Amino acid sequence: MMSLEVAVAAAMFVGVVAYAVLGGADFGSGFFDLTAGSSRRGAEMRTLVDHSIGPVWEANHVWLIYVLVIWWTGFPESFAAAMTTLVLPLLLALLGIVLRGASFAFRKYSATLGQARLFGVIFATASILTPFFLGTVAGAIASGRVPAEGVGDRWSSWMNPTSIFGGLIAVGTCAFLAGVFLAADAARSDKVRLAEDLRLRALVVGAFTGVVVLVALVPVSEDAPTLSEGLAGRAAALVVVSALAGTATLWLLWERRYSLARWPAVVAVASVVSGWGVAQYPWLLVDEVRIVDAAGASATLQALLVAVGLAVVVVLPPLAYLLRLTQSEEWSRH
């Protein structure tokens, strides 16, 4: 039977997976915005990006807030340890979230082309750097560099092989996921040339990310042995699922079956993130603090589960409806 502490940690990790998938597709659009080309040549791509993420980009960050609230409420000491040790990448990620959101909004109301270009570059650059820094945070925790008492080394904790590869994988998976969704949006809008362009880019990004993941296995096995052991053991099935789903996504893109390609792409990213979580179980801070030891008072954990249950009833249905509208173009006909 699942303990109360593990149930709350699992609820929190569901938010991590949701943010990786939904927020990841959001962040990844910045890669295609940045590489779209000049103002004239890239106008169609950037218009598609605005059209695709405009209705959902704020809603996607609900999951980040959800994760942080559960973490600091349910596991306060581990939260404090991570925040003090990883303050630099977390602040850089926060800065990126603020800058990309502000510049995304300001670009639409720019008075001149020069202002629009400036805000566009800020949006695209922040969209790439933010998942990178979030990936380094995950790598720092997974490699056991966040001490239980906090105030670990503020540089080596996230400037290490596991963290760097974690950041690169985060950027790659976000861009791949965004490419698949943008290609489906372009095809649904009968933009054949743009869909073909996105198809080719997504295939390249997906293949490159797969290579990075394979290369990362070597340094991670030495730098993060606990994580590596978990990936080869209890999380092995999720690793296989991720590889199969990623391959299926590439094949569906190759066959130009854009709508169907979205589903295995989501499964691939969700499996990667879930594999990380399962691999480091039962640790909350790897090699430092276990989930059951990091948890707060039982009354607090029980209240959190009640709040999560209410959120499932009150928040999930409108979020699901929002995604249904945006993925079917129904919202544009309202």
Side-chain angles (χ1 to χ4, degrees):
M1 182 176 178
M2 184 180 296
S3 67
L4 180 61
E5 298 87 354
V6 173
V8 173
M12 178 176 71
F13 200 75
V14 168
V16 174
V17 175
Y19 190 56
V21 172
L22 300 174
D26 190 344
F27 285 125
S29 63
F31 170 81
F32 296 96
D33 193 295
L34 186 65
T35 58
S38 63
S39 299
R40 183 183 297 274
R41 188 161 59 90
E44 189 178 24
M45 178 77 77
R46 294 187 177 103
T47 299
L48 178 67
V49 169
D50 286 354
H51 175 80
S52 297
I53 73 171
V56 297
W57 70 274
E58 291 179 294
N60 289 334
H61 292 298
V62 166
W63 296 107
L64 178 60
I65 298 169
Y66 167 88
V67 170
L68 292 177
V69 169
I70 292 183
W71 192 3
W72 87 53
T73 307
F75 309 93
E77 292 184 1
S78 66
F79 179 84
M83 293 301 114
T84 54
T85 299
L86 303 173
V87 61
L88 292 177
L90 286 168
L91 282 176
L92 290 170
L94 176 61
L95 180 64
I97 290 172
V98 173
L99 286 178
R100 79 179 295 272
S103 57
F104 180 70
F106 291 158
R107 179 167 68 172
K108 297 180 181 180
Y109 303 102
S110 299
T112 65
L113 180 59
Q115 289 179 356
R117 285 173 175 168
L118 174 62
F119 289 130
V121 169
I122 295 173
F123 162 74
T125 304
S127 296
I128 294 173
L129 293 179
T130 300
F132 175 80
F133 290 122
L134 291 175
T136 64
V137 169
I141 294 172
S143 59
R145 287 183 166 88
V146 180
E149 65 275 10
V151 198
D153 190 281
R154 293 209 170 100
W155 289 102
S156 64
S157 60
W158 62 284
M159 296 292 289
N160 57 76
T162 303
S163 291
I164 297 301
F165 273 106
L168 293 175
I169 292 170
V171 173
T173 53
C174 287
F176 178 57
L177 195 57
V180 174
F181 274 79
L182 288 172
D185 286 347
R188 193 168 57 243
S189 302
D190 295 323
K191 298 177 180 178
V192 178
R193 187 194 62 80
L194 184 58
E196 185 66 19
D197 183 25
L198 283 161
R199 165 182 170 270
L200 294 175
R201 294 188 187 206
L203 285 169
V204 172
V205 171
F208 177 78
T209 303
V211 171
V212 172
V213 171
L214 291 176
V215 171
L217 294 176
V218 176
V220 168
S221 64
E222 299 178 1
D223 190 59
T226 300
L227 176 67
S228 181
E229 182 181 347
L231 289 172
R234 68 178 67 90
L238 287 167
V239 174
V240 173
V241 169
S242 177
L244 293 175
T247 303
T249 306
L250 292 174
W251 179 78
L252 288 170
L253 280 176
W254 184 264
E255 295 293 319
R256 295 176 176 83
R257 302 177 71 175
Y258 302 114
S259 183
L260 283 177
R262 295 176 300 177
W263 299 105
V266 169
V267 171
V269 174
S271 298
V272 166
V273 180
S274 299
W276 157 52
V278 171
Q280 73 172 51
Y281 179 82
W283 300 99
L284 190 59
L285 301 178
V286 172
D287 297 334
E288 292 287 336
V289 182
R290 287 181 170 84
I291 293 171
V292 294
D293 300 321
S298 295
T300 302
L301 299 180
Q302 291 168 358
L304 279 172
L305 287 181
V306 171
V308 169
L310 290 173
V312 169
V313 175
V314 176
V315 179
L316 280 189
L319 279 178
Y321 185 58
L322 175 63
L323 291 174
R324 176 176 173 272
L325 289 177
T326 57
Q327 290 302 308
S328 63
E329 296 296 325
E330 285 189 28
W331 70 276
S332 63
R333 294 193 287 271
H334 279 254

